[in-house]
Amino acid sequence: MSSKIFDTVIVGAGVSGLSCAIELKIENIENILLIEKSDNFLILLELFIKMVKELINIGVIKLLTLLEISLLMVD
């Protein structure tokens, strides 16, 4: 069995784990291992995305872009 060395290991592929992996990738860190215990992770992620979209649609969550935030700071 060959071994592989990772720059970063993230335990948990929930929202925080995925966000962390994305940010690391943006910072050009390539060797990332993301560990998730759930076999049905993709189904749970799709459900989470649908729930967030619905919360945005009914106005419970307000999603702002960086441009919108910067314009708020100017006022």
Side-chain angles (χ1 to χ4, degrees), residues 1 3-4 6 10 19 21-22 25 27 30-32 36 39-40 43 49-50 62 69-70 72-73:
M1 180 174 153
S3 62
K4 174 124 175 134
F6 294 95
I10 302 168
S19 297
I22 290 167
K25 187 69 175 169
E27 295 296 323
E30 298 293 327
N31 298 318
I32 302 167
E36 172 57 38
D39 290 339
N40 58 353
I43 295 168
I49 290 168
K50 287 179 186 178
K62 173 67 175 157
I69 293 170
S70 64
L72 287 173
M73 295 175 72

Side-chain angles (χ1 to χ4, degrees), residues 6-7 10 14-15 23 25-26 36-37 42 47 54 63 68-70 73-75:
F6 294 95
D7 295 324
I10 302 168
V15 175
E23 289 297 322
K25 187 69 175 169
I26 289 170
E36 172 57 38
K37 68 177 178 180
L42 293 177
L47 177 62
E54 182 60 27
L63 184 62
E68 291 170 321
I69 293 170
S70 64
M73 295 175 72
V74 170
D75 289 341

Side-chain angles (χ1 to χ4, degrees), residues 11-63:
V11 178
V15 175
S16 297
L18 289 173
S19 297
C20 185
I22 290 167
E23 289 297 322
L24 289 168
K25 187 69 175 169
I26 289 170
E27 295 296 323
N28 294 319
I29 296 175
E30 298 293 327
N31 298 318
I32 302 167
L33 175 62
L34 186 59
I35 300 171
E36 172 57 38
K37 68 177 178 180
S38 176
D39 290 339
N40 58 353
F41 167 72
L42 293 177
I43 295 168
L44 294 173
L45 184 59
E46 287 174 358
L47 177 62
F48 177 78
I49 290 168
K50 287 179 186 178
M51 289 171 37
V52 169
K53 285 181 179 180
E54 182 60 27
L55 291 172
I56 290 170
N57 288 338
I58 64 175
V60 173
I61 295 175
K62 173 67 175 157
L63 184 62

